[in-house]
Amino acid sequence: MTQAIQKTLRDSAGMRWTALLLLALAMFCSYIFMDILSPIKDLMQETRGWDSTAFGTMQGSEVFLNVFVFFLIFAGIILDKMGVRFTAVLSGAVMLVGAIIKWYAVSDTFIGSGLETWFTNNLNYIPGFDELGVSPFYKGMPASAKFAACGFMIFGCGVEMAGITVSRGIVKWFKGREMALAMGSEMALARLGVATCMIFSPFFAKLGGEVSVSRSVAFGVVLLCVALIMTIVYFFMDKKLDEQTGEAEEKDDPFKISDIGTILSDSGFWIVALLCVLYYSAIFPFQKYAVNMLQCNLTLTLPDSNSFWASSSVTIIQYVIMLVVAAAGFASNFQKKANLKYGLLGLSIVALVTYCYMGYMRQSAESIFAVFPLLAVLITPILGSYLDHHGKAASMLVLGSLLLIGCHLTFAFILPLFKGNAVGGIIIAYATILVLGASFSLVPASLWPSVPKLVDAKVIGSAYALIFWIQNIGLWLFPLLIGKVLDKTNPGVTDPTQFDYTAPLVMLASLGVAALVLGLLLKVVDKKKGIGLEEPNIK
């Protein structure tokens, strides 16, 4: 008598998407904390004395240890040797420790403490790093910014470890299935963290009419506690899967330095890695300054303090509407009945228009930029499904680069022309931000699923770590560069809402041009070597 074929958790669509949801929620919380100070850059200057250079240096410190102490390389080795579940929990714990340090650094308790005195008098010169011009501190940097940078470095180790762990986890649960859709969906949900941060960070900072930037950071710390819980739940799911399959968890061949050499000798890998660093460097550092850029280029008049549009309740309502936009738009992609599909799509569009109207009425730069991930949430499943069934990953990267260039040049040269036009400027801002978010959705849906096609399965963790390490060089450099360029091109400007952002935006657009060239080159290499980047993931 033939026994029924034993099915595993991975064979159940519900269970593998539940595993994905746990990982995505953890990344959602980490994305919120990553940019928790971005929408309140002006408040950091007013309450803590952080000019653009101090702000940019602190923001760039997130990836300092990953780049210059090679922590990401070690993280990849840990992932390959210890497995997804151990590394997921470890990354959650590391993020939380770093976040708590950053919270204390910007709290009122830090002011006047012995730690503030120590950081004021020390870390003004770092031998070796200062000579190379890559020190995470500098003489005259506010003590709170220095200590916050220390915490952000630790958080950065955890969040980048989490990034490669999530990528490896998705490969484990979705290989041979809807992998591009899974990776795109994970990033779509995670990027809602950016929108959440843009809305709630200023909300908590200004809660009760008294400005306190530490409240915003405390909000992020609480969410990272939730992220740690998510990784622990995932730990047990992943363990159960290995028990069912009888596989030793990720215990591949012993790691060898030659494995890294094999990865680095592949030209296709290098093009993908450089594409990643260029593309992400034009997006993530921009996010850290985007709200301030809008404050400087839009004519915003705050509503009367007694009106509904200035109340705290409008923030909650607007966020609920945002969730409707994201949930309805995302769900519409999975409906087989036309009336349900287009009904959800219509609801998403109406909710998006309502959200944008509320953002205009609030005259709030942070709520305007919060639309950044919404179009991405809508189209990411479409892109992921298309790539799974039809391919064209390299072509998608080329398209993403073209959109990236157009958006940054629009911010640099077209948006300033509408300053003084309250309606026109905000319409241009909304349209450009939505397109930029859509272009960003092309990357996770097309780039990350391409990595398993380039390297051997046993070193996927190391391959992702190397890509993330190369990417982190840009994520360290460009927040710092934007801050320095802003200060250099705006001498004597003390009002944080009066900066000229033209030079930094042109710099970011040039990264898009370089990414476009590499994307075209990748298509040539793929065709010549038969890597299969243009082929579908589901065979």
Side-chain angles (χ1 to χ4, degrees), residues 243-279:
E243 290 172 355
Q244 290 179 332
T245 60
E247 298 171 357
E249 205 240 341
E250 314 299 335
K251 301 298 183 182
D252 297 305
D253 295 341
F255 174 84
K256 301 185 293 292
I257 295 297
S258 59
D259 290 336
I260 291 182
T262 302
I263 296 170
L264 295 180
S265 64
D266 188 283
S267 59
F269 167 84
W270 271 109
I271 295 175
V272 168
L274 291 175
L275 260 170
C276 179
V277 68
L278 290 168
Y279 208 95

Side-chain angles (χ1 to χ4, degrees), residues 27 30-31 34-35 38 55 59 62-63 159-160 187 190-191 194 198 276-290 369 372 404 408 436 440 443-444 448 468 471-472 474-476 478-479 482 508 511:
M27 292 306 295
S30 69
Y31 267 53
M34 192 184 301
D35 280 315
S38 300
F55 183 83
Q59 295 282 37
E62 176 195 349
V63 296
V159 75
E160 296 300 334
M187 285 308 298
R191 286 201 187 107
V194 178
M198 295 300 160
C276 179
V277 68
L278 290 168
Y279 208 95
Y280 276 68
S281 294
I283 296 287
F284 281 128
F286 170 71
Q287 285 178 191
K288 300 181 185 303
Y289 291 87
F369 185 71
F372 174 67
L404 181 71
H408 281 313
L436 183 65
F440 197 23
V443 175
W448 299 122
F468 274 57
Q471 169 192 314
N472 272 230
L475 300 186
W476 159 77
F478 282 94
I482 294 172
L508 296 176
L511 296 179

Side-chain angles (χ1 to χ4, degrees), residues 34 41 160 215 249 261 300 361 391 403 497 501 512 524 533:
M34 192 184 301
K41 176 181 180 290
E160 296 300 334
R215 279 198 300 259
E249 205 240 341
L300 300 172
M361 292 302 294
L403 294 175
T497 63
Y501 268 84
V524 174
L533 298 182

Side-chain angles (χ1 to χ4, degrees), residues 202-217:
F203 171 78
F204 283 109
K206 301 173 183 177
L207 191 63
E210 181 183 349
V211 173
S212 174
V213 293
S214 66
R215 279 198 300 259
S216 297
V217 184

